[in-house]
Amino acid sequence: KQEILAFEPATAADLEQYRIKFLGTKGIVKAMFGEMKQVPNERKKEFGQVLNGFKQLAEERYTQFEHLKENGAAASTDIDLTLPEEPHRLGSRHPISVVRNKIISIFERLGFAIAEGPEIEDDWHNFTALNLPENHPARDMQDTFYISKHPDWLLRTHTSSVQVRAMESGKLPIRIICPGRVYRNETISARAHCFFHQVEGLYIDENVSFADLKQTLYHFVKELFGDTTRIRFRPSYFPFTEPSAEMDISCQICGGSGCNVCKHTGWVEILGCGMVHPKVLENCGIDPEKYTGFAFGMGIERITMLNYQIKDLRLFSENDTRFLEQFEGAL
Ligand code: PHE
């Protein structure tokens, strides 16, 4: 007790030593309370009162000098309250989002509206309505994840399912693009993943022709890759379009002279397209005698890889900030 009363700290360090000695977890006060269990029961109350008094005294003495601590702390850590705060680090947009937004804005300027739909689809919207009846061999083109507890449900393999929904809505003409995530049961490698992103487009009206398709896509390519980019169409097959084509662009990396990206052909495939099959229009309640339309679909990953010369698709989904930081800021 006397020691406590005689205590006259001059610095924060003195005060801290006092705290450790008396009030710390290994201090005198704690230790004395520890003795409690050796005191006979009938004297416990009395002993407790003395102890509490002692503890109170020790604490009061401490608070009495607490101002030392505050001043001491400020002085010892050089905090300059006038300094501006550390800047907040802004994240960056994911490269897939950057490219998706670019694609969307080009088509928006052409009058296309954005349409979205569910990632868990039914068989009708993903396949059957698109002229891919059950057991049609073309279903093998897209390895599908089915939902085991519900035979009719699956993870959409393309956003063409959204186009079906738009056609079924009955409002014509239709001019939409459908960005979104799609799923395919593929072995994960540098060039394939079990999910990826697409932008598909659909234009249905009277007198829509293949020339409209070509012109629209040519405009798109020049906007996205630059004015000098050339395109070429190769005949292809999709059950939901007739005729169908795949579109290549002149290689952006070597300009056509030959490199690994275009496998020395000078051309890189970027999308599939075609005139909507009359059967598909019919399935969706649109009169194929009156209306025609074109559709196209592209993978965003592929275009992003071309744009930024990214060689491994897996980088997009690994969340490695060293990769992600290299792209445009969030604002
Ligand atoms: N749905 C096709 C795919 O995912 C792409 C496509 C869309 C092709 C529209 C032609 C017309 O592979």
Side-chain angles (χ1 to χ4, degrees):
K1 223 170 178 172
Q2 257 157 24
E3 194 179 340
I4 290 176
L5 290 172
F7 172 62
E8 285 281 356
T11 65
D14 290 351
L15 184 67
E16 181 60 6
Q17 264 185 6
Y18 167 87
R19 190 191 64 78
I20 292 169
K21 182 166 178 188
F22 287 96
L23 300 167
T25 41
K26 291 187 181 139
I28 292 174
V29 171
K30 257 269 159 55
M32 284 169 79
F33 273 98
E35 305 277 289
M36 194 76 156
K37 47 183 178 308
Q38 281 154 44
V39 178
N41 275 344
E42 65 276 12
R43 297 204 55 198
K44 272 212 163 82
K45 190 172 168 199
E46 192 190 334
F47 190 76
Q49 272 165 359
V50 174
L51 269 188
N52 276 330
F54 181 72
K55 183 179 170 206
Q56 227 169 27
L57 180 75
E59 281 171 353
E60 269 163 24
R61 195 79 184 159
Y62 181 75
T63 24
Q64 206 181 332
F65 290 100
E66 222 165 13
H67 59 274
L68 281 176
K69 195 174 93 189
E70 281 151 24
N71 296 340
S76 68
T77 56
D78 290 331
I79 294 174
D80 182 350
L81 293 174
T82 65
L83 282 176
E85 66 174 318
E86 293 252 334
H88 287 293
R89 272 206 65 238
L90 275 183
S92 52
R93 284 222 192 284
H94 194 282
I96 296 290
S97 302
V98 172
V99 172
R100 182 201 56 209
N101 292 348
K102 278 187 188 160
I103 297 172
I104 288 176
S105 80
I106 295 170
F107 284 105
E108 270 182 338
R109 274 179 269 139
L110 290 175
F112 285 76
I114 297 174
E116 290 182 309
E119 293 184 12
I120 299 175
E121 259 300 359
D122 51 46
D123 185 275
W124 169 258
H125 291 97
N126 196 79
F127 289 129
T128 308
L130 289 161
N131 203 24
L132 273 144
E134 217 180 318
N135 303 323
H136 192 293
R139 284 198 182 197
D140 295 344
M141 285 163 77
Q142 302 179 351
D143 295 303
T144 311
F145 285 117
Y146 288 92
I147 290 174
S148 55
K149 294 218 170 83
H150 202 301
D152 196 42
W153 287 358
L154 46 87
L155 298 182
R156 68 180 180 195
T157 59
H158 48 192
T159 57
S160 305
S161 54
V162 183
Q163 306 185 340
V164 172
R165 288 173 181 277
M167 289 189 276
E168 285 176 338
S169 78
K171 281 184 229 108
L172 289 159
I174 296 170
R175 192 155 45 185
I176 52 167
I177 45 165
C178 312
R181 182 176 281 190
V182 301
Y183 301 83
R184 293 186 197 178
N185 189 4
E186 299 205 25
T187 311
I188 296 170
S189 71
R191 306 157 124 272
H193 212 293
C194 56
F195 68 83
F196 61 99
H197 299 80
Q198 282 190 323
V199 177
E200 293 210 351
L202 175 70
Y203 179 29
I204 297 179
D205 203 346
E206 294 178 35
N207 302 316
V208 176
S209 71
F210 201 94
D212 297 321
L213 166 64
K214 255 182 148 169
Q215 187 53 40
T216 305
L217 293 179
Y218 188 36
H219 173 81
F220 161 70
V221 159
K222 285 195 292 185
E223 288 285 302
L224 190 64
F225 295 103
D227 250 349
T228 55
T229 317
R230 285 165 299 134
I231 55 171
R232 79 172 182 190
F233 288 81
R234 283 178 292 106
S236 183
Y237 173 76
F238 299 103
F240 31 88
T241 46
E242 180 59 36
S244 304
E246 259 151 341
M247 191 181 83
D248 299 340
I249 59 168
S250 50
C251 183
Q252 296 306 291
I253 313 299
C254 61
S257 60
C259 67
N260 283 334
V261 173
C262 60
K263 302 200 191 68
H264 299 277
T265 63
W267 296 96
V268 193
E269 184 200 318
I270 63 158
L271 58 81
C273 58
M275 301 304 292
V276 181
H277 198 295
K279 192 94 206 307
V280 173
L281 294 175
E282 221 173 84
N283 286 345
C284 301
I286 296 172
D287 179 1
E289 298 293 329
K290 187 168 177 204
Y291 290 99
T292 50
F294 67 70
F296 58 86
M298 65 190 102
I300 305 178
E301 274 79 355
R302 196 181 169 77
I303 292 175
T304 310
M305 288 169 88
L306 276 179
N307 238 358
Y308 295 108
Q309 299 189 42
I310 296 163
K311 294 200 177 61
D312 193 323
L313 190 84
R314 288 168 290 198
L315 285 165
F316 291 131
S317 48
E318 279 170 351
N319 280 343
D320 187 334
T321 50
R322 290 168 305 178
F323 170 71
L324 296 172
E325 270 168 2
Q326 299 175 53
F327 301 90
E328 286 170 35
L331 290 180

